[in-house]
Amino acid sequence: MSFSRRVKEELGKKLPAARHCQLAELTALISMCGIICINEQNEYLIKIRTENLIVAKKYFALIKAAFSIQCEVRISCHKLSPSFIIKRKVEQRKTESFAKKSCMLYELIVKDVQASVRILKAAKLLDEMGDIREELSPARNVLIQNTCCKRSFLRGIFLAGGSITNPEKSYHLEIVTPALKKAEQLCEIIKIFEIEARIVKRKKSYVVYLKDSSQIVDFLNVCEAHLALLDLENIRIKKEIRNTINRQVNCETANIGKTIRASVRQIDDICLIRDRRRLESLPENLIEIAKLRLEYPDVSLKELGSMANPPIGKSGVNHRLRKLSEIAKQIRED
């Protein structure tokens, strides 16, 4: 099971206790998946169409809880496009589930005209003239003024059009909306919780997305997906520890390499001085450090200084080795 599905399953089980929050989440589902049909008598009928069983169950439960209305459920199969099938095969590495090249489509219809109008009025999706609001966008009405209602609204929006990548691979949460106006309104609501979402156009849709791991955690907290939030935090901690260890190892490896390269260069200089019979003419302190370096080629400058008699510091060892390097340089020039 993907991480995104686990999040949606957790959100799908949460049914708000307060009716105003139920209406807010129901409005979000209708706004994202709803189709308002008009019959021959110019009357409204509400239809929800989705491929996600979790969304269908949540809509059914909200309609029943908020209005005590039973809606008609239709289940059908529809063919998938070849590009969608290839994408899903690559993602899941399973071809058996797509052998028939079809997917389940769930339609939930409120056929009762009076019930449909009652739902639309309660969801504030009808304007003063009794017409459907543009793009079914309820973001600026009184229905989602309370903080708890905004949480429920965002939960419904994510259920209907959101997804989140596996945090083991990368951090990315997105919600696909059909119109720019709806995407901008969604960003305004998310910003109330101090989360900065961005918008990008993808073909004919507009995607509201988050890429910062801490903001994704905050969004899951707003939607009350607490179990998924804990899983994400555990993964974040593991990745941070792993990255810290990798940085330390890389730093130590670089330091070891630097020490070895410096040691090889110092030994070359000392050997050159010794082969030209110039070592005996040097001061005692330089002779001592030269012999120690030849005897212990792998130790650091600090360890080399502790072996001297009397012991000297790292800067003292470095100064003497630099003197030897200058002498070797002069010999090469001569």
Side-chain angles (χ1 to χ4, degrees), residues 224-260:
E224 299 179 333
H226 298 136
L227 294 178
L229 185 153
L230 290 175
D231 290 342
L232 179 55
E233 285 286 36
N234 287 336
I235 293 171
R236 283 181 67 197
I237 292 170
K238 289 179 182 177
K239 290 176 74 173
E240 287 178 5
I241 292 173
R242 185 164 60 244
N243 292 337
T244 300
I245 292 173
N246 289 338
R247 283 194 296 270
Q248 290 176 347
V249 170
N250 292 337
C251 183
E252 290 176 2
T253 302
N255 288 337
I256 291 171
K258 184 179 178 180
T259 300
I260 291 173

Side-chain angles (χ1 to χ4, degrees), residues 49-236:
R49 182 178 293 170
T50 178
E51 296 175 0
N52 193 326
L53 180 59
I54 300 172
V55 175
K57 287 182 176 179
K58 191 61 176 290
Y59 177 76
F60 188 90
L62 288 169
I63 285 285
K64 187 176 180 180
F67 298 96
S68 299
I69 295 174
Q70 296 284 353
C71 53
E72 180 181 331
V73 181
R74 296 177 183 176
I75 303 175
S76 60
C77 290
H78 69 101
K79 291 184 178 181
L80 300 174
S81 65
S83 60
F84 180 81
I85 296 168
I86 293 171
K87 181 181 177 182
R88 292 297 294 271
K89 284 180 180 179
V90 170
E91 288 178 352
Q92 298 188 2
R93 304 295 182 185
K94 294 180 180 179
T95 57
E96 304 85 26
S97 302
F98 302 93
K100 296 181 180 180
K101 299 183 180 180
S102 62
C103 184
M104 304 305 293
L105 180 65
Y106 304 93
E107 287 187 341
L108 294 89
I109 307 169
V110 179
K111 284 192 169 183
D112 188 298
V113 174
Q114 293 182 352
S116 295
V117 173
R118 188 151 59 97
I119 293 170
L120 290 173
K121 285 183 177 179
K124 308 300 182 186
L125 293 174
L126 294 178
D127 60 19
E128 295 78 7
M129 304 298 294
D131 297 325
I132 301 296
R133 288 184 181 273
E134 185 180 357
E135 300 292 347
L136 291 176
S137 299
R140 288 193 175 89
N141 66 43
V142 296
L143 189 69
I144 50 176
Q145 293 302 311
N146 298 330
T147 301
C148 59
C149 294
K150 290 184 175 69
R151 290 176 181 271
S152 297
F153 183 80
L154 290 177
R155 181 164 55 243
I157 289 287
F158 181 80
L159 271 173
S163 64
I164 180 171
T165 60
N166 184 354
E168 292 278 7
K169 299 178 181 178
S170 63
Y171 300 116
H172 183 82
L173 182 148
E174 67 177 36
I175 300 171
V176 181
T177 63
L180 177 59
K181 182 179 178 181
K182 188 171 291 189
E184 290 174 345
Q185 291 173 344
L186 181 57
C187 284
E188 289 176 9
I189 298 174
I190 295 175
K191 192 174 182 179
I192 294 172
F193 297 96
E194 298 182 357
I195 302 173
E196 292 291 337
R198 297 189 178 185
I199 301 173
V200 64
K201 187 175 182 181
R202 184 185 297 165
K203 295 182 179 178
K204 296 181 179 180
S205 302
Y206 292 87
V207 181
V208 178
Y209 69 93
L210 299 170
K211 281 190 171 295
D212 184 79
S213 59
S214 61
Q215 295 206 333
I216 293 175
V217 168
D218 291 341
F219 184 86
L220 293 178
N221 186 47
V222 168
C223 294
E224 299 179 333
H226 298 136
L227 294 178
L229 185 153
L230 290 175
D231 290 342
L232 179 55
E233 285 286 36
N234 287 336
I235 293 171
R236 283 181 67 197

Side-chain angles (χ1 to χ4, degrees), residues 9-65:
E9 284 196 350
E10 182 181 355
L11 296 179
K13 295 175 183 177
K14 291 187 177 296
L15 188 64
R19 188 172 185 271
H20 51 84
C21 291
Q22 294 172 1
L23 288 175
E25 190 166 352
L26 181 63
T27 302
L29 295 180
I30 296 174
S31 176
M32 294 294 286
C33 306
I35 301 173
I36 309 301
C37 304
I38 302 177
N39 61 15
E40 295 177 354
Q41 288 75 34
N42 203 30
E43 297 170 327
Y44 295 128
L45 299 176
I46 301 175
K47 180 189 292 186
I48 289 288
R49 182 178 293 170
T50 178
E51 296 175 0
N52 193 326
L53 180 59
I54 300 172
V55 175
K57 287 182 176 179
K58 191 61 176 290
Y59 177 76
F60 188 90
L62 288 169
I63 285 285
K64 187 176 180 180

